[in-house]
Amino acid sequence: MKNRLRNFCTLLMVTFSLLAGAQNPVIQTKFTADPAPMVYKDTVYLYTTHDEDDAGPGMGKFLMKDWLLYTSTDMVNWTDRGVVASLKSFSWGRQENGAWAHQCIERNGKFYMYCTVQGSGIGVLVADSPYGPFKDPIGKKLVGGEDIWSTIDPSVFIDDDGEAYLYWGNPGLWYVKLNKDMISYSGEIVKVPEVGKVKGQATADLYHYQEGPWAYKRNGHYYMAYASTCCPEGIGYAMSNSPTGPWEYQGYIMKPDKRSSGNHPGIIDYKGKSYVFGFNFRLNFMQTAAHHERRSVCIEEFKYNPDGTIPELPWWSETGAKQVGSLNPFKLVEAETINWAEGLSTKKADLSSQMYVTNVSNGDFIKVKGVDFAKGAKKFEANVAPLAGGSIEIRIDDKAGSLLGTLQVKGTGSDKNWKILSCHIKSVKGKHDVYLVFKGGNDNLFNFDWWQFKKAVY
Ligand code: FUB
């Protein structure tokens, strides 16, 4: 994404800078889609699919090879955890393209990720940690019969009685009961006949199910959200008294909008608030007028109605979700923890290595939202591997906001030479947005692993 961003014209840079106050889309360093958020302990694990930068122009020309993970504890600053699985994780499927929608769920301390290998079936991966490594425990597809092209978009749900269900499908919806091991199933695969049924009518196809099911339960109600109507796709949902239906269509969570041909919901409750995730094409259309399948995950907060129904929301806002709490700058913060970033990219060498920020050039920046300096900070510290070298300006509340200090990073030309560097900063207290603005030439200035502030002593 870096080189394309760098080639933007001035107008586009101005537009982008205006967006620096935005929180949607939530990831700017890669194209992400098909959000599958999972709340585990105090953290939101946002698993996403990944549209490659070089997906060619044209509808349906997806180029998708791996699955990504981002985490957050405040819904606005997201830490890039990199690729957690790829088509290579499945020996039995297509290898070059087709890493479509997926979902991860925890059961008894293990993490099960159900993945579409488009054109080959749905597989399952298992890990001991939500970060992976994820491995294929069965060495074959979990589901995918004759109608292989319909076998996409798994959604997994475990009911209070311990029964687990796997749902999937385009343009129909199917489900099967998973066994307790979560890697096999029992009984018949059932096609759900009535998911598009409209309230009070026997049948209807107006707001019909398309793909991307998202099954969950809340306050005794079962929900099936999905990409509805085509095309463009909106997000619709149905409710039921049982995980297997009958489902009654309730309406749109978000109406279709020509700004996004497709859609894929993910819905969670986190720290007492409710959120719907989906995607738009905003970053793609900021780069080019041509439609490439290069999507970007967005989030909106909403409140359930007292009867459990979901209000219809407007199209993805620019402002997105509000921050829950604040970010503690006195603990080590991964450099790839980002509210908004421009120009740079993130990288990890392989599935097990550390993630870092790279391709840093003059004028690139990272914004981190709602950083709480409490009674004060006096020093900034960063772990960097200097290449050409440059500096990090530490500013608050705006990219051109008050300058707290500048960390000089002397070039060494080697990206292996990690160093912890520090600089004193002007006194700062309370909660601010922090902008780390990179200065130097247009070469790779340095790689950047983590930062933190040191408390002022009074
Ligand atoms: O991302 C590829 C496919 O597009 C997904 O599997 C569908 O849900 C749609 O979003």
Side-chain angles (χ1 to χ4, degrees):
M1 189 139 172
K2 167 82 170 182
N3 292 335
R4 290 169 196 271
L5 286 178
R6 192 147 310 291
N7 291 337
F8 276 178
C9 63
T10 312
L11 176 66
L12 217 47
M13 287 309 286
V14 171
T15 318
F16 227 41
S17 294
L18 289 177
L19 282 176
Q23 261 132 208
N24 271 333
V26 294
I27 311 297
Q28 307 88 39
T29 48
K30 291 189 184 79
F31 292 109
T32 55
D34 307 321
M38 175 185 80
V39 178
Y40 179 65
K41 297 192 173 163
D42 68 341
T43 300
V44 180
Y45 293 84
L46 170 57
Y47 297 91
T48 75
T49 57
H50 177 198
D51 290 328
E52 295 289 335
D53 290 3
D54 55 348
M59 290 275 184
K61 298 224 168 133
F62 297 102
L63 187 55
M64 304 171 73
K65 301 176 180 174
D66 46 31
W67 292 276
L68 309 176
L69 172 63
Y70 298 84
T71 60
S72 179
T73 52
D74 66 6
M75 295 302 292
V76 296
N77 296 305
W78 292 91
T79 305
D80 189 339
R81 306 296 182 173
V83 171
V84 287
S86 79
L87 292 172
K88 305 257 175 302
S89 310
F90 299 106
S91 58
W92 45 265
R94 286 174 78 190
Q95 297 287 298
E96 75 292 349
N97 192 3
W100 283 22
H102 63 327
Q103 189 180 350
C104 185
I105 199 167
E106 184 267 347
R107 183 164 206 169
N108 298 330
K110 290 214 180 289
F111 297 83
Y112 299 88
M113 188 188 287
Y114 302 84
C115 301
T116 308
V117 180
Q118 189 238 1
S120 298
I122 289 173
V124 60
L125 300 172
V126 190
D128 293 330
S129 145
Y131 301 97
F134 286 90
K135 297 264 157 50
D136 180 352
I138 56 177
K140 58 180 184 180
K141 66 181 86 168
L142 178 61
V143 287
E146 283 171 19
D147 196 1
I148 201 71
W149 298 103
S150 296
T151 310
I152 66 167
D153 292 2
S155 180
V156 59
F157 163 67
I158 305 172
D159 206 349
D160 302 332
D161 62 4
E163 295 291 351
Y165 301 83
L166 187 72
Y167 307 83
W168 69 89
N170 170 341
L173 178 66
W174 288 263
Y175 75 86
V176 73
K177 259 190 182 184
L178 292 172
N179 293 327
K180 297 270 184 304
D181 64 10
M182 301 296 277
I183 58 170
S184 62
Y185 62 84
S186 300
E188 290 295 300
I189 291 176
V190 182
K191 181 163 188 191
V192 178
E194 66 283 271
V195 74
K197 186 174 147 189
V198 170
K199 250 181 188 167
Q201 294 178 32
T203 57
D205 56 5
L206 279 179
Y207 303 106
H208 56 294
Y209 171 92
Q210 291 296 316
E211 58 181 353
W214 184 261
Y216 65 103
K217 186 181 189 182
R218 187 180 186 276
N219 292 343
H221 301 294
Y222 294 85
Y223 293 82
M224 184 66 68
Y226 48 84
S228 66
T229 67
C230 180
C231 288
E233 289 176 336
I235 299 175
Y237 78 108
M239 290 171 72
S240 178
N241 295 323
S242 133
T244 55
W247 298 96
E248 189 168 46
Y249 177 76
Q250 300 295 322
Y252 280 120
I253 298 173
M254 202 173 275
K255 281 213 169 82
D257 187 296
K258 60 180 182 329
R259 283 170 283 184
S260 184
S261 50
N263 230 316
H264 194 117
I267 298 176
I268 54 165
D269 278 4
Y270 180 63
K271 295 187 175 170
K273 294 174 188 291
S274 302
Y275 300 93
V276 57
F277 294 61
F279 60 73
N280 69 15
F281 281 72
R282 194 159 177 214
L283 295 186
N284 175 73
F285 287 126
M286 285 170 58
Q287 292 189 25
T288 168
H291 180 107
H292 296 243
E293 295 292 1
R294 297 188 313 195
R295 299 157 292 173
S296 299
V297 166
C298 295
I299 305 175
E300 294 296 341
E301 188 184 327
F302 70 93
K303 280 198 175 69
Y304 286 87
N305 297 317
D307 63 356
T309 56
I310 300 174
E312 187 183 308
L313 304 174
W315 184 243
W316 305 110
S317 66
E318 287 181 18
T319 43
K322 288 201 184 71
Q323 186 170 25
V324 190
S326 56
L327 187 133
N328 179 357
F330 303 115
K331 279 189 180 162
L332 188 149
V333 181
E334 296 293 346
E336 59 276 9
T337 300
I338 295 171
N339 171 254
W340 195 270
E342 291 182 15
L344 45 87
S345 47
T346 51
K347 188 174 171 185
K348 77 177 180 181
D350 53 59
L351 285 183
S352 58
S353 61
Q354 269 298 107
M355 195 83 196
Y356 57 89
V357 165
T358 189
N359 279 339
V360 176
S361 319
N362 187 44
D364 294 351
F365 73 91
I366 293 172
K367 174 188 174 190
V368 183
K369 195 170 173 58
V371 175
D372 191 357
F373 290 99
K375 290 184 185 158
K378 61 163 188 182
K379 200 172 158 190
F380 175 77
E381 215 174 66
N383 189 24
V384 289
L387 290 153
S391 62
I392 305 176
E393 292 182 352
I394 304 125
R395 296 184 179 269
I396 50 170
D397 301 327
D398 191 89
K399 189 186 165 191
S402 176
L403 180 66
L404 296 185
T406 303
L407 181 73
Q408 300 296 339
V409 182
K410 200 162 164 252
T412 64
S414 162
D415 63 356
K416 305 272 175 298
N417 222 345
W418 288 97
K419 293 168 188 241
I420 299 171
L421 302 176
S422 63
C423 68
H424 284 279
I425 57 162
K426 278 190 205 154
S427 158
V428 57
K429 295 181 182 176
K431 197 165 159 178
H432 296 273
D433 296 342
V434 168
Y435 286 75
L436 302 175
V437 185
F438 306 109
K439 291 289 159 87
N442 279 325
D443 300 328
N444 269 341
L445 303 182
F446 38 79
N447 291 335
F448 185 16
D449 188 22
W450 56 258
W451 57 268
Q452 66 183 344
F453 286 85
K454 294 286 177 194
K455 278 185 183 155
V457 183
Y458 296 99

